[in-house]
Amino acid sequence: MKEDIEFKNRDRFIELGLTISAVRKLRGLSQEALAEKAHMSRSHLSAIEAPNIIRSFSVEILYNIADALDVRAGDLLNNTVIPRE
């Protein structure tokens, strides 16, 4: 995966990370708990959520996070999060 994020995608990654953080908090999950449910390290999740760190990540990680939060991955991307039925 390309390490440098293109400038035009920078804000998208920040918004996605903030959305993940907000939903995690609404679900009452710590970073550690979400990371465990999403099969990733807490430090990786922390970097994804941090607005001052731009961390790209795979679609697999996005799906793992969405499943752990019980939302659709597309809703995380579109910032239109609703619980799955």
Side-chain angles (χ1 to χ4, degrees):
M1 179 180 334
K2 183 179 174 185
E3 285 298 316
D4 295 326
I5 297 174
E6 291 186 39
F7 183 76
K8 68 181 182 178
N9 292 323
R10 181 182 181 279
D11 290 344
R12 291 174 174 159
F13 275 100
I14 291 170
E15 184 176 342
L16 179 56
L18 292 174
T19 299
I20 290 167
S21 176
V23 175
R24 174 182 60 75
K25 291 173 184 174
L26 284 172
R27 299 287 191 266
L29 295 170
S30 66
Q31 283 185 339
E32 187 172 307
L34 177 56
E36 185 176 322
K37 288 178 74 168
H39 311 288
M40 61 190 300
S41 71
R42 192 213 49 84
S43 62
H44 191 177
L45 178 61
S46 177
I48 289 169
E49 290 186 353
N52 59 333
I53 300 172
I54 310 305
R55 172 69 63 97
S56 64
F57 55 97
S58 69
V59 173
E60 181 177 7
I61 292 291
L62 175 64
Y63 283 132
N64 288 351
I65 291 171
D67 289 346
L69 292 172
D70 197 30
V71 296
R72 293 178 179 93
D75 291 339
L76 286 174
L77 289 168
N78 293 320
N79 198 12
T80 56
V81 178
I82 53 174
R84 277 199 238 159
E85 297 180 22

